[in-house]
Amino acid sequence: MATIRDVAREAGVSIATVSRVFNQSALVRPETCENVREVAARLDYWPNGAARSLITSRTLALGVVLPDLHGEFFSEVIRGIDLAARRERFQILLSSSHADADALNSAVRALRGRIDGLLVLSPDAGSARVVESIASSLPVVLIHSGPDTLACATLAIANHDGALAMTRHLVALGHRRIAMLCGPAGNVDAEERLRGYRAALTEAGLMQDAALELAGDFSEECGAACVPDLLAIEPRPTAIFCANDAMAIGMVTALRDTGVRVPEEMAVTGFDDIAIGRYLTPQLTTVRADAYELGERAVGMLLPHAQARQPVPAERVSVPTRLIVRASCGAALVPTSDAAQPRRHRPLAAAARREEDGREAAGRDRGRVS
Amino acid sequence: MATIRDVAREAGVSIATVSRVFNQSALVRPETCENVREVAARLDYWPNGAARSLITSRTLALGVVLPDLHGEFFSEVIRGIDLAARRERFQILLSSSHADADALNSAVRALRGRIDGLLVLSPDAGSARVVESIASSLPVVLIHSGPDTLACATLAIANHDGALAMTRHLVALGHRRIAMLCGPAGNVDAEERLRGYRAALTEAGLMQDAALELAGDFSEECGAACVPDLLAIEPRPTAIFCANDAMAIGMVTALRDTGVRVPEEMAVTGFDDIAIGRYLTPQLTTVRADAYELGERAVGMLLPHAQARQPVPAERVSVPTRLIVRASCGAALVPTSDAAQPRRHRPLAAAARREEDGREAAGRDRGRVS
DNA sequence: TTGTAAGCGTTATCAG
DNA sequence: CTGATAACGCTTACAA
């Protein structure tokens, strides 16, 4: 692999001149520049990124740490991150599957010197603390939806508001026995959704009933598996709000297999608005958390500070959610509802994200904390 | 940010000793080691990756260049790559959205010195040539399904065989007028699928008819948009094989809206086996190209050579496909078919990939070239 | 067991 | 405009 020295020697100039040519420095005579470029091309020379970033202490790279690359939600987040970073000529150093805070910690450390800024997607509280401790030495944005005020820049999904809006919607459709299929314990998104559900029940004057809250783990399998438990609740609920779409999909499929009609006998709703929901029969009513936008905005928060090599101010920004009313909640059965939708063709993802119907969720909070 | 020198000074040792501590070198006295670690922790020191890789010329990172991060197929490939790389403690430097060969070229150059090896997903022939030219100076594996023999390690999807198997299947179901919705021009995957389709028709003694080949672009929108063209073909086809699932999904939806029954009046099949196909009504018959496995195997091909800093031998490996028979082809209507499947619950992705029914496609080619 | 010193391939700061 | 030369933060002979 040719180095700057090889090019300099071959072109009969100093390494400084070669460096200038590759840094668009205007102080090089056109002929010299031309000559250097020619030699460089011939020798297949390209500046070494590691050496460059060692001296400039700029890497033009952003680290992204997330618990899992699995599922449509995360992959959309990554896509948003990548595209936003690319616009500013930044690259993405990916680091997924960090189960616990320790793993996260060492993953982050391994990125030292290779990145100008860091994005962490953390669904648990422990990891959030680790990130807090890094924030002073590296520009960091945390994508984390816990209710707690953290001493670092945080981008949160408005889980509570989304769940609130969804549950209100079910109440408005006349449901009085509304169950919830919860997400994994310790997952802050799941916890916030549960809080929103409870708040809506309280608001509607409905009794809180622990029997209505089923344990889940965000997997489709579990959505299917808990159907017997759901049907065994006395008196039987008429609606269930699942903490994510994957579980809702498993549940709809299993309910159908059991012979329970959705939404007539059991309204089922989800959270996330993954693409499959639109192809389910009946189409899934859900809450959209725009994953692409989440990634995009996280980069927007991080990048200016990464470029300036300054800590990101501790601020909490909330990404609003939208209630997406389709058929699985039974809204189409209620003649007065304005939420029923004509069945028309929908593109798979990108375009759909932008133009989809559905109403704004109650809360468009975008507050500052700390 | 603390450097190795700060730690050395504070701990009262030389920088070499600090370095040894962080490189598991056994030649450090336990007490010294302990002391250094303590100081390092206090100063929040961690070795700088750029400096480290400058001297060792090892980065423990793999570059991944792909045309687009969009869609389930690519995101699954990435997941396969990430997990396989992680096992060997390698990180992933992502670089997506490279429309043309030039963009690819500069993207790759920007990675010089930051990666030990490169994975390129290229659906067009021009990019493949660029990669060929890099292969001598950097370990590279190209994920590319063109029929051409390239002077670099190539991992290909058995598109031709998959399409052949699908078309044979339609022929076996009794169809004689089988249309094809093609992919974008210049896309080698699309072209290979078209070749496979034609080969099967010829084999079955059916006439080649240009009118049966509709132009498409892999988008769901186009699958929907070309329905009028499909229905206008005289005599009307009884089956259509779409070059990917997204188009097939758009088409099924649009056909239903038009009042054409699928599969009774028009059998529709796809290629890729994306998750949504399983939730479509009727469920989509398709060809599985295991994206996760593709990524995983690409890393398997690349990593040993990346670690040894040696070129990857020019070899062509083909990843077999499988025919996945569901309802949209009408197989369930044919009593004698053994391909009809009971409707049972299917997990969303990971687990499903492993256990799914369906028969092996004809060709399990895994050949060497050059 | 530890220290000294020579790079790794750049960019940046000076002189010329 | 161009050329020496000193960093950047680290690993690794070689010496002690």
Side-chain angles (χ1 to χ4, degrees):
Chain A
M1 182 100 323
T3 78
I4 199 172
R5 240 171 286 270
D6 301 320
V7 178
R9 190 182 333 106
E10 189 80 3
V13 296
S14 74
I15 59 166
T17 299
V18 178
S19 175
R20 286 188 191 103
V21 169
F22 277 86
N23 289 287
Q24 328 277 23
S25 169
L27 323 114
V28 185
R29 224 181 28 186
E31 303 107 84
T32 317
C33 183
E34 184 84 358
N35 179 34
V36 168
R37 284 201 185 283
E38 190 271 315
V39 172
R42 182 151 48 78
L43 266 49
D44 194 28
Y45 165 78
W46 207 262
N48 180 300
R52 205 174 224 181
S53 65
L54 179 56
I55 185 107
T56 58
S57 58
R58 263 170 212 290
T59 61
L60 291 179
L62 254 32
V64 176
V65 174
L66 63 174
D68 189 2
L69 220 39
H70 202 9
E72 211 179 303
F73 188 81
F74 285 128
S75 82
E76 273 295 290
V77 175
I78 295 276
R79 203 168 75 87
I81 290 172
D82 182 76
L83 263 60
R86 167 165 321 287
R87 269 180 238 133
E88 301 288 325
R89 336 218 64 185
F90 267 67
Q91 293 189 306
I92 295 303
L93 203 46
L94 210 59
S95 202
S96 77
S97 325
H98 295 294
D100 54 60
D102 267 2
L104 175 74
N105 212 344
S106 60
V108 168
R109 296 228 176 294
L111 294 170
R112 280 271 167 99
R114 319 188 93 97
I115 55 173
D116 294 335
L118 183 65
L119 244 33
V120 179
L121 248 105
S122 138
D124 76 287
S127 309
R129 296 291 160 193
V130 174
V131 172
E132 251 184 321
S133 74
I134 297 162
S136 58
S137 58
L138 184 74
V140 178
V141 166
L142 176 63
I143 302 180
H144 176 86
S145 303
D148 33 326
T149 304
L150 296 163
C152 72
T154 309
L155 190 56
I157 300 167
N159 284 306
H160 182 273
D161 291 347
L164 189 73
M166 175 60 85
T167 314
R168 278 180 180 158
H169 173 70
L170 291 171
V171 168
L173 290 175
H175 294 284
R176 289 296 168 267
R177 294 285 292 170
I178 304 171
M180 167 139 199
L181 176 51
C182 305
N187 181 296
V188 295
D189 293 289
E191 282 162 4
E192 286 298 287
R193 290 169 196 179
L194 178 58
R195 287 208 311 119
Y197 156 80
R198 287 176 178 164
L201 290 192
T202 304
E203 184 188 83
L206 298 173
M207 59 185 169
Q208 295 265 353
D209 183 352
L212 288 172
E213 296 174 6
L214 273 53
D217 63 4
F218 276 172
S219 76
E220 189 180 340
E221 290 84 343
C222 121
C226 78
V227 161
D229 296 338
L230 171 66
L231 300 179
I233 299 173
E234 282 294 342
R236 188 194 276 192
T238 58
I240 180 161
F241 169 35
C242 303
N244 78 345
D245 282 356
M247 292 195 297
I249 288 166
M251 174 161 286
V252 167
T253 310
L255 280 171
R256 202 168 39 202
D257 291 353
T258 317
V260 175
R261 284 174 306 146
V262 177
E264 293 82 354
E265 298 174 66
M266 182 70 71
V268 179
T269 68
F271 202 113
D272 280 348
D273 192 26
I274 66 177
I276 298 175
R278 221 172 282 126
Y279 297 93
L280 200 69
T281 310
Q283 290 186 60
L284 189 65
T285 289
T286 188
V287 176
R288 172 177 306 159
D290 191 326
Y292 178 90
E293 184 191 343
L294 199 67
E296 201 173 33
R297 291 182 61 166
V299 172
M301 282 175 79
L302 176 62
L303 214 51
H305 302 97
Q307 287 171 322
R309 287 202 282 277
Q310 272 158 8
V312 189
E315 172 192 19
R316 184 186 154 103
V317 176
S318 202
V319 178
T321 56
R322 287 171 131 210
L323 186 62
I324 306 292
V325 179
R326 301 204 186 93
S328 74
C329 60
L333 305 175
V334 183
T336 54
S337 169
D338 61 347
Q341 290 165 37
R343 175 170 213 137
R344 57 178 213 266
H345 173 71
R346 300 230 160 281
L348 255 180
R353 257 204 341 272
R354 301 297 167 204
E355 47 78 357
E356 175 110 28
D357 38 16
R359 309 170 312 198
E360 298 291 325
R364 271 208 165 257
D365 66 315
R366 168 183 301 168
R368 277 182 152 69
V369 174
S370 115
Chain B
M1 184 99 322
T3 77
I4 198 172
R5 241 171 284 271
D6 300 321
V7 177
R9 190 181 334 104
E10 189 80 4
V13 297
S14 74
I15 60 167
T17 300
V18 178
S19 173
R20 287 188 189 103
V21 169
F22 277 87
N23 288 288
Q24 330 275 24
S25 169
L27 322 114
V28 185
R29 223 181 29 185
E31 304 107 85
T32 316
C33 184
E34 184 85 358
N35 179 33
V36 168
R37 284 199 184 284
E38 189 270 316
V39 172
R42 182 151 47 79
L43 266 45
D44 194 27
Y45 166 78
W46 207 263
N48 179 301
R52 204 175 225 180
S53 64
L54 179 57
I55 186 118
T56 58
S57 57
R58 263 170 211 290
T59 61
L60 291 180
L62 253 32
V64 176
V65 175
L66 65 174
D68 191 1
L69 220 40
H70 202 8
E72 212 178 302
F73 188 80
F74 285 126
S75 83
E76 273 296 290
V77 174
I78 295 276
R79 203 168 75 88
I81 291 172
D82 182 76
L83 262 61
R86 168 165 321 287
R87 270 180 237 133
E88 301 288 325
R89 334 218 68 192
F90 267 67
Q91 293 189 305
I92 295 303
L93 202 46
L94 209 59
S95 202
S96 78
S97 324
H98 295 293
D100 54 61
D102 268 2
L104 174 75
N105 210 345
S106 59
V108 168
R109 297 232 176 293
L111 294 171
R112 280 272 166 98
R114 320 189 91 99
I115 55 173
D116 294 335
L118 182 66
L119 244 33
V120 179
L121 248 105
S122 139
D124 76 288
S127 309
R129 296 291 159 191
V130 173
V131 172
E132 250 183 322
S133 74
I134 297 162
S136 58
S137 58
L138 184 74
V140 178
V141 167
L142 177 62
I143 301 179
H144 176 86
S145 304
D148 34 327
T149 304
L150 296 162
C152 70
T154 309
L155 190 57
I157 299 167
N159 283 306
H160 182 274
D161 292 345
L164 189 73
M166 175 60 84
T167 313
R168 277 180 180 157
H169 174 68
L170 291 171
V171 168
L173 290 175
H175 294 283
R176 290 295 169 267
R177 294 283 294 168
I178 304 171
M180 167 138 198
L181 177 51
C182 305
N187 181 296
V188 295
D189 292 290
E191 283 163 3
E192 286 298 287
R193 290 169 197 178
L194 178 58
R195 286 207 312 117
Y197 156 80
R198 286 176 177 164
L201 290 193
T202 304
E203 183 189 83
L206 297 173
M207 59 186 169
Q208 295 266 353
D209 183 353
L212 288 172
E213 296 174 6
L214 273 52
D217 63 4
F218 275 173
S219 76
E220 189 181 340
E221 290 84 343
C222 120
C226 77
V227 161
D229 296 338
L230 171 66
L231 300 179
I233 299 173
E234 281 294 341
R236 188 194 275 190
T238 58
I240 180 161
F241 168 35
C242 302
N244 78 345
D245 282 356
M247 294 195 297
I249 288 165
M251 174 160 285
V252 166
T253 310
L255 280 171
R256 200 168 41 201
D257 291 353
T258 316
V260 176
R261 285 175 306 147
V262 177
E264 293 82 354
E265 299 175 65
M266 182 70 70
V268 180
T269 68
F271 203 114
D272 279 348
D273 192 26
I274 67 177
I276 297 174
R278 223 171 281 127
Y279 297 92
L280 201 67
T281 311
Q283 290 186 61
L284 189 65
T285 289
T286 188
V287 176
R288 172 175 306 158
D290 191 326
Y292 178 91
E293 184 190 343
L294 199 66
E296 201 173 33
R297 291 183 61 167
V299 172
M301 281 175 81
L302 176 62
L303 214 51
H305 303 97
Q307 287 170 321
R309 287 202 283 277
Q310 273 158 9
V312 189
E315 171 193 21
R316 184 187 154 103
V317 176
S318 203
V319 178
T321 56
R322 288 171 131 208
L323 186 61
I324 306 291
V325 179
R326 300 204 187 94
S328 74
C329 59
L333 305 175
V334 183
T336 53
S337 169
D338 63 345
Q341 289 164 37
R343 174 171 214 136
R344 58 178 213 266
H345 172 71
R346 301 230 160 279
L348 255 179
R353 258 204 339 274
R354 302 295 167 206
E355 48 79 355
E356 176 110 28
D357 38 15
R359 307 171 313 199
E360 297 290 324
R364 270 207 167 258
D365 65 316
R366 167 182 303 168
R368 276 184 153 70
V369 175
S370 118

